[in-house]
């Protein structure tokens, strides 16, 4: 059974600091997604990671994937208040036709001035 | 603009009542999904469908039912057998896995509460 674990689950940080969110998964998968969710809102796609060593960057966020370690990281550089949200990683579970996703618990990120 | 429309935004259920959540997409996606999100938790898959007139159970299908009579529509019924239905329900759609790697698109969700 595929399990996805994120840590930390809660993260409070100051503006201007750097930090990393970790996503571990238990079985082999050929793709991993990162999503952002604002309170009471839907999920917004951030990154799609497909291969070992893949690195994607958008603004102050950078995601990477190590398929051998079954680990993805989401790195936040020089955090700003607008990045406050909950971040989820999700891994495809035995993709055949439909893309069955297994989500991590989410990391609630609060960035303080 | 293409997207996913969920309705209603808020829904209240009485004891013993079935309620139906609507999900419509105009993205021409073959696959559609229903997820449940409890406060402070990740999303869990209830049902999914990869083609019209076909659907599969996800991880927490008990107490729920779905239909897929049209490509654009994937309604979810929360039956009276679901004893703890209070949650945020999200509908999503995607291309099929063999067609590419685009992420699932999500609707804005329906918040269901017990009266």
């Amino acid at each position: 059974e595929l399990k996805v674990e994120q840590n930390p689950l809660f993260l409070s940080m100051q503006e201007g600091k750097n930090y990393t969110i970790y996503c571990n998964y238990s079985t082999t998968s050929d793709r991993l997604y990162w999503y952002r969710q604002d309170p009471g809102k839907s999920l917004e796609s951030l990154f799609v990671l497909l291969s070992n060593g893949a690195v994607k960057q958008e603004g102050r966020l950078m995601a990477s994937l190590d398929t051998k370690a079954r680990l993805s990281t989401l790195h936040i550089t020089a955090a700003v208040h607008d990045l406050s949200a909950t971040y989820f990683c999700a891994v495809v579970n035995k993709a055949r036709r439909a893309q069955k996703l297994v989500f991590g618990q989410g990391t609630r990120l609060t960035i303080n001035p | 603009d293409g997207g996913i429309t969920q309705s209603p935004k808020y829904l209240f259920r009485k004891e013993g009542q079935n309620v139906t959540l609507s999900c419509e997409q105009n993205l021409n996606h073959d696959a559609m999904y229903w997820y449940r999100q409890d406060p402070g938790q990740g999303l869990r898959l209830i049902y999914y469908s990869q083609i019209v007139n076909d659907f599969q159970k996800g991880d927490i299908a008990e107490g729920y039912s779905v239909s897929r009579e049209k490509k654009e529509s994937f309604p979810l019924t929360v039956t009276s057998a679901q004893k703890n239905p209070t949650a945020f329900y999200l509908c999503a759609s995607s291309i099929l896995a063999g067609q590419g790697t685009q992420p699932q698109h999500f609707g804005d969700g329906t918040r269901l509460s017990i009266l």
Side-chain angles (χ1 to χ4, degrees):
Chain A
E1 179 189 353
L2 174 59
K3 293 188 177 181
V4 181
E5 293 188 352
Q6 288 181 233
N7 71 84
L9 300 183
F10 299 94
L11 179 56
S12 181
M13 54 193 292
Q14 286 186 313
E15 281 191 327
K17 300 291 187 182
N18 303 334
Y19 212 81
T20 301
I21 299 170
Y22 298 89
C23 173
N24 289 92
Y25 54 100
S26 60
T27 63
T28 302
S29 177
D30 64 353
R31 63 192 74 177
L32 184 144
Y33 300 95
W34 282 97
Y35 286 90
R36 167 182 172 146
Q37 185 180 37
D38 291 303
K41 302 294 186 182
S42 186
L43 272 69
E44 173 191 354
S45 174
L46 295 174
F47 300 109
V48 180
L49 301 169
L50 303 174
S51 59
N52 190 42
V55 177
K56 296 279 185 75
Q57 182 162 5
E58 180 74 31
R60 300 174 188 275
L61 300 177
M62 183 174 70
S64 66
L65 179 63
D66 181 343
T67 57
K68 294 180 181 177
R70 296 180 190 149
L71 170 69
S72 180
T73 61
L74 181 65
H75 187 72
I76 302 135
T77 302
V80 293
H81 179 69
D82 286 351
L83 291 179
S84 296
T86 299
Y87 292 86
F88 292 96
C89 63
V91 179
V92 171
N93 186 13
K94 295 181 182 177
R96 296 193 182 101
R97 291 170 58 84
Q99 299 186 43
K100 292 174 59 180
L101 291 180
V102 177
F103 282 81
Q105 313 96 305
T107 297
R108 185 177 298 180
L109 174 63
T110 303
I111 298 170
N112 304 303
Chain B
D1 282 338
I4 300 177
T5 301
Q6 288 188 242
S7 63
K9 193 174 178 67
Y10 299 95
L11 186 58
F12 298 91
R13 196 192 88 168
K14 295 180 182 178
E15 292 288 338
Q17 186 181 42
N18 293 351
V19 292
T20 297
L21 284 60
S22 171
C23 178
E24 304 275 336
Q25 56 101 357
N26 61 3
L27 297 166
N28 199 32
H29 286 164
D30 287 296
M32 296 187 74
Y33 314 80
W34 275 106
Y35 294 92
R36 169 181 172 139
Q37 185 178 29
D38 291 285
Q41 303 292 317
L43 280 67
R44 293 181 291 168
L45 182 65
I46 305 173
Y47 268 99
Y48 66 99
S49 168
Q50 48 203 19
I51 195 169
V52 174
N53 292 324
D54 180 69
F55 47 83
Q56 307 294 327
K57 292 182 179 180
D59 301 317
I60 55 165
E62 186 174 350
Y64 300 97
S65 67
V66 293
S67 63
R68 186 89 185 275
E69 297 177 1
K70 299 186 300 182
K71 186 176 182 178
E72 301 79 18
S73 178
F74 192 41
L76 174 74
T77 296
V78 184
T79 74
S80 58
Q82 173 49 245
K83 298 306 180 188
N84 184 23
T86 298
F88 189 46
Y89 291 86
L90 286 158
C91 177
S93 71
S94 77
I95 57 175
L96 297 177
Q99 295 173 337
T101 58
Q102 294 172 21
Q104 291 182 16
H105 291 253
F106 285 82
D108 288 338
T110 293
R111 195 166 299 278
L112 176 61
S113 303
I114 293 281
L115 279 179

